[in-house]
Amino acid sequence: MALVRNNSSNGREPILSPRSLTSPWGLTSPRPLTVQPTQEPVRPLANFPPSIWADRFISFSLDNNELEAYANALEGPKEAVRNLITDTTFDATAKLKLIYSVHRLGLSYLYPEEIDTELNEIFKKIDLQYYEHVDLYTISVQFQVFRHHGYKLSSDVFKKFKDNNTGTFTDDVTKDVKGMLSLYESAHLRLHGEDLLDEALAFTEAQLKRIVSTLEGDLARQVNQVLKRPFHTGMPMVEARLYFSTHEEDFSSHESVVKLAKVHFNYLQLQQKEELRMVSQWWKDMEFQTSVPYIRDRVPEIYLWILGLYFEPYYSRARIIATKITLFLVVLDDTYDAYATIDEIRSITDAINRWEISAIDQLPEYIKPFYRILLNEYDDLEKEYSKDGRAFSVHASKQAFQEIARGYLEEAEWLHNGYVATFPEYMKNGLITSAYNVISKSALVGMGAIADEEALAWYETHPKILKASELISRLQDDVMTFQFERKRGQSATGVDAYIKEYNVSEEVAILELMKMIENAWKDINEGCLKPTEVSVALLTPILNLARMIDVVYKFDDGFTFPGKTLKDYITLLFVTPPPSIENC
Ligand SMILES: CC(C)=CCC/C(C)=C/CC/C(C)=C/COP(=O)(O)OP(=O)(O)O
Ligand SMILES: [Mg+2]
Ligand SMILES: [Mg+2]
Ligand SMILES: [Mg+2]
């Protein structure tokens, strides 16, 4: 029986034999597949670029005394900032500005109750009339700070900036760069039906682009930064570092805030470098580079992705677990998309569904080590978490992993049969292959008591906010990866399904998918407003997953080709020294 994928009937370019496969970046297949060309199947090799980091992060050596010293150094400024947040002599404007900065610096998780009490008090007394006499920048900061923390301040606060006669924003707005910048940030918190914010987003974006080259200093840096990526769609840790270096004027009058931010950056970097060392060492020890050399070798990138979900120090173990499981997903995805034959895919999927070590015999040799490691890791997790009654979370992650394998198989069957799914059919499977169900459930495993059975039951209802995050993942990835995937013979992307379903051009299909992504962001924003269905601690990773898709795929396929955005992020967080704490 020929172990060859049927790629001729899908109407796309046939996959070339490995011998003639030349990658877009000029490398020929590194695999020794040409040794027995008559017996070896034709594999859909992608020749993914290698890791840009090699073993760089393995050599890190944590000095526990240093980590402890930072932990101790955090205590003083932490209490000082708590006192600022609860200080009764601040007026509302000053208090909201402070809380805004604390949040943007990635510090609000230290004061959840205090911040909520303060905001609640101020929000109760808010009178929309008050905003009639307040400038655009101040209103925008207040709008954001309330929405960041789930308080639905009405977008009507911006109404006065529109000219009733022309229906557009007033000249005063156009002259106020800081105001526009802040309105642009605010607009990303928009909800369904907030047309004013839709308009504000388009207007401020156009205006800021028009004037950016005329600006200087911090303001120029701030505008360039926000145009690249606004805070709301960015990775919180990176946004905190950027905010610290370009918005000093916002918080420099509070010495304790400056000090806390600096020590916090230093503490977190040490902890995170150690976590990255651990997963890098594990990856090396598991010898994936030898057993599955055809995959995208992306340990720092996947660790970064998970760090994007949650950066709080107490989720250290949770990050390690979620990183490992996400790395398993990379192996699985690339095996299905860029190596295995359809028969092998069926057999691997079956083994993953059976989930028993005896199933290893049915697998092709190259995937056996992966299968063994997968089962071992989950076994270890089950043992570890049975002790405190949390094995349910491990089971949920495992089931989601089995489900995604079936989803990947479905895509492979479509491809094998030369079938382009209908759009609804594609989306049903696409939400599964978005990987965000597996990742978000796996993220719960190490989160501790907060991620209890009730939390999991909520996940199992497939809530709107999770669906939205999955949709953003699936479609933003498709929009940015479909050309590369199509060239290689894959046709299971949302772009192709949309074109087929609605008989539109590729450009129109992409625009429509981008609109769906925008709408999903509004679902996410709505899902984060009070009263929330579950605690903010459980919602935030879902919001952050959507943010990470924007980070990775806004400009290109940043995961397959990680030399731009992700390289910069990894360098900033794990290589560049944080702000020095000397003299503070
Ligand atoms: C789908 C997606 C963006 C998932 C994000 C979560 C994540 C880190 C999953 C691991 C697998 C992965 C990197 C898929 C993206 O590449 P790809 O374009 O090859 O994925 P595809 O084969 O599903 O299109
Ligand atoms: Mg893939
Ligand atoms: Mg895939
Ligand atoms: Mg893709």
Side-chain angles (χ1 to χ4, degrees):
M1 184 175 59
L3 288 173
V4 179
R5 282 216 222 177
N6 173 4
N7 293 298
S8 53
S9 55
N10 64 6
R12 306 265 172 241
E13 277 177 55
I15 290 174
L16 303 171
S17 76
R19 197 191 274 281
S20 58
L21 248 187
T22 305
S23 74
W25 47 96
L27 297 171
T28 49
S29 164
R31 288 195 55 81
L33 286 170
T34 48
V35 178
Q36 293 174 300
T38 52
Q39 285 156 31
E40 274 289 306
V42 175
R43 297 193 177 279
L45 280 173
N47 291 305
F48 293 124
S51 167
I52 52 177
W53 300 103
D55 280 350
R56 168 162 194 148
F57 297 108
I58 289 187
S59 56
F60 175 70
S61 166
L62 177 69
D63 177 347
N64 270 311
N65 292 333
E66 197 184 354
L67 190 69
E68 212 180 304
Y70 283 131
N72 291 335
L74 276 171
E75 289 310 311
K78 198 164 102 185
E79 289 318 303
V81 173
R82 191 189 312 280
N83 291 338
L84 282 179
I85 292 172
T86 54
D87 192 325
T88 50
T89 64
F90 277 49
D91 67 21
T93 304
K95 186 63 70 76
L96 292 172
K97 246 185 111 179
L98 169 74
I99 296 176
Y100 177 75
S101 288
V102 166
H103 187 63
R104 295 242 0 210
L105 289 167
L107 300 168
S108 53
Y109 78 95
L110 297 169
Y111 316 102
E113 277 106 38
E114 290 86 346
I115 288 178
D116 202 50
T117 306
E118 295 295 321
L119 291 181
N120 201 19
E121 276 304 301
I122 302 173
F123 193 71
K124 267 194 321 214
K125 293 183 200 143
I126 286 261
D127 167 5
L128 289 186
Q129 291 291 319
Y130 156 79
Y131 287 109
E132 285 304 318
H133 312 287
V134 182
D135 64 281
L136 178 58
Y137 173 73
T138 306
I139 296 180
S140 300
V141 166
Q142 300 198 0
F143 181 82
Q144 288 173 72
V145 81
F146 281 125
R147 294 249 174 142
H148 286 158
H149 296 275
Y151 291 88
K152 189 180 168 190
L153 182 63
S154 168
S155 57
D156 287 351
V157 292
F158 296 113
K159 253 187 176 165
K160 68 170 183 173
F161 299 106
K162 273 189 80 175
D163 185 326
N164 286 335
N165 296 324
T166 62
T168 183
F169 290 88
T170 61
D171 284 348
D172 286 350
V173 173
T174 319
K175 287 182 207 134
D176 178 3
V177 180
K178 239 179 128 45
M180 281 201 295
L181 187 155
S182 203
L183 177 57
Y184 182 63
E185 294 272 22
S186 303
H188 287 85
L189 294 153
R190 63 199 161 146
L191 310 173
H192 293 287
E194 290 189 321
D195 298 352
L196 189 144
L197 292 182
D198 290 338
E199 290 164 33
L201 197 148
F203 177 80
T204 50
E205 183 170 340
Q207 291 298 325
L208 291 170
K209 280 182 176 161
R210 190 178 59 79
I211 55 161
V212 64
S213 61
T214 66
L215 305 172
E216 286 176 353
D218 265 0
L219 194 57
R221 279 189 284 278
Q222 290 167 7
V223 172
N224 272 308
Q225 192 175 305
V226 81
L227 285 174
K228 223 176 184 179
R229 181 167 291 108
F231 170 70
H232 189 54
T233 54
M235 176 177 176
M237 259 327 289
V238 165
E239 292 306 314
R241 287 283 291 269
L242 297 176
Y243 181 77
F244 184 83
S245 52
T246 53
H247 287 73
E248 213 189 325
E249 82 226 21
D250 284 8
F251 53 84
S252 57
S253 59
H254 301 299
E255 228 178 278
S256 53
V257 173
V258 177
K259 187 165 181 181
L260 179 63
K262 284 184 177 177
V263 182
H264 188 247
F265 287 140
N266 280 274
Y267 176 81
L268 291 197
Q269 188 181 70
L270 272 195
Q271 186 192 41
Q272 291 162 11
K273 280 167 90 167
E274 172 63 0
E275 290 169 8
L276 179 52
R277 182 200 65 77
M278 286 164 75
V279 287
S280 303
Q281 187 65 58
W282 170 79
W283 181 254
K284 192 172 182 175
D285 292 346
M286 296 298 120
E287 300 182 341
F288 284 117
Q289 281 162 332
T290 314
S291 60
V292 286
Y294 52 85
I295 68 161
R296 288 169 287 189
D297 185 358
R298 301 283 182 271
V299 177
E301 290 80 4
I302 290 295
Y303 173 71
L304 182 88
W305 210 308
I306 298 303
L307 180 63
L309 253 81
Y310 36 36
F311 62 82
E312 292 85 342
Y314 42 78
Y315 290 143
S316 183
R317 178 80 187 116
R319 279 191 288 277
I320 303 275
I321 295 167
T323 301
K324 286 184 180 178
I325 295 174
T326 308
L327 284 165
F328 288 148
L329 288 175
V330 179
V331 177
L332 201 69
D333 185 54
D334 285 343
T335 299
Y336 281 47
D337 289 342
Y339 195 78
T341 65
I342 187 68
D343 287 337
E344 289 170 350
I345 290 173
R346 289 174 185 144
S347 151
I348 298 167
T349 312
D350 183 61
I352 289 175
N353 277 317
R354 286 173 58 196
W355 207 280
E356 55 193 10
I357 199 63
S358 61
I360 204 165
D361 297 335
Q362 74 188 46
L363 293 175
E365 280 309 313
Y366 64 87
I367 209 68
K368 284 182 178 173
F370 164 75
Y371 189 70
R372 191 173 288 114
I373 295 164
L374 177 73
L375 265 55
N376 280 344
E377 280 297 328
Y378 270 95
D379 260 2
D380 289 349
L381 285 176
E382 219 167 302
K383 279 183 206 128
E384 179 179 346
Y385 286 98
S386 294
K387 284 180 220 144
D388 49 358
R390 295 191 44 74
F392 66 88
S393 63
V394 183
H395 297 153
S397 163
K398 187 196 291 181
Q399 279 165 9
F401 199 92
Q402 292 171 315
E403 183 189 46
I404 199 172
R406 293 192 293 271
Y408 285 165
L409 169 67
E410 172 104 49
E411 286 181 343
E413 295 287 4
W414 287 338
L415 175 63
H416 179 67
N417 295 317
Y419 176 66
V420 177
T422 65
F423 192 66
E425 199 176 14
Y426 176 78
M427 285 312 291
K428 186 164 179 266
N429 197 53
L431 293 191
I432 295 168
T433 65
S434 77
Y436 271 12
N437 187 39
V438 194
I439 297 178
S440 56
K441 279 192 185 144
S442 306
L444 296 177
V445 174
M447 278 179 86
I450 182 139
D452 57 11
E453 286 186 83
E454 208 181 312
L456 184 63
W458 176 75
Y459 268 77
E460 297 294 1
T461 64
H462 204 196
K464 201 172 181 179
I465 189 168
L466 179 58
K467 271 192 202 134
S469 197
E470 291 170 354
L471 180 144
I472 292 169
S473 162
R474 185 63 276 161
L475 294 184
Q476 183 110 23
D477 174 85
D478 283 347
V479 166
M480 286 300 165
T481 66
F482 82 97
Q483 274 167 327
F484 180 63
E485 289 165 350
R486 191 192 267 175
K487 225 191 271 172
R488 307 184 45 254
Q490 262 176 266
S491 58
T493 75
V495 180
D496 288 302
Y498 198 93
I499 292 171
K500 178 186 160 187
E501 183 85 27
Y502 300 105
N503 198 18
V504 292
S505 68
E506 193 172 290
E507 291 70 29
V508 170
I510 289 172
L511 280 174
E512 291 302 320
L513 298 187
M514 296 302 282
K515 272 192 217 158
M516 291 173 70
I517 292 171
E518 270 186 24
N519 275 326
W521 267 108
K522 292 178 182 173
D523 286 343
I524 291 186
N525 293 343
E526 290 194 348
C528 291
L529 291 179
K530 287 174 185 290
T532 54
E533 292 180 10
V534 289
S535 67
V536 173
L538 292 168
L539 288 177
T540 308
I542 298 177
L543 159 66
N544 284 341
L545 275 170
R547 288 170 160 164
M548 286 312 291
I549 286 294
D550 198 79
V551 166
V552 180
Y553 293 105
K554 182 167 180 177
F555 303 110
D556 51 18
D557 177 356
F559 185 70
T560 302
F561 307 100
K564 291 188 210 156
T565 308
L566 294 196
K567 185 180 178 191
D568 288 349
Y569 276 38
I570 289 166
T571 305
L572 178 69
L573 293 185
F574 315 127
V575 181
T576 311
S580 163
I581 61 165
E582 273 172 42
N583 309 323
C584 76

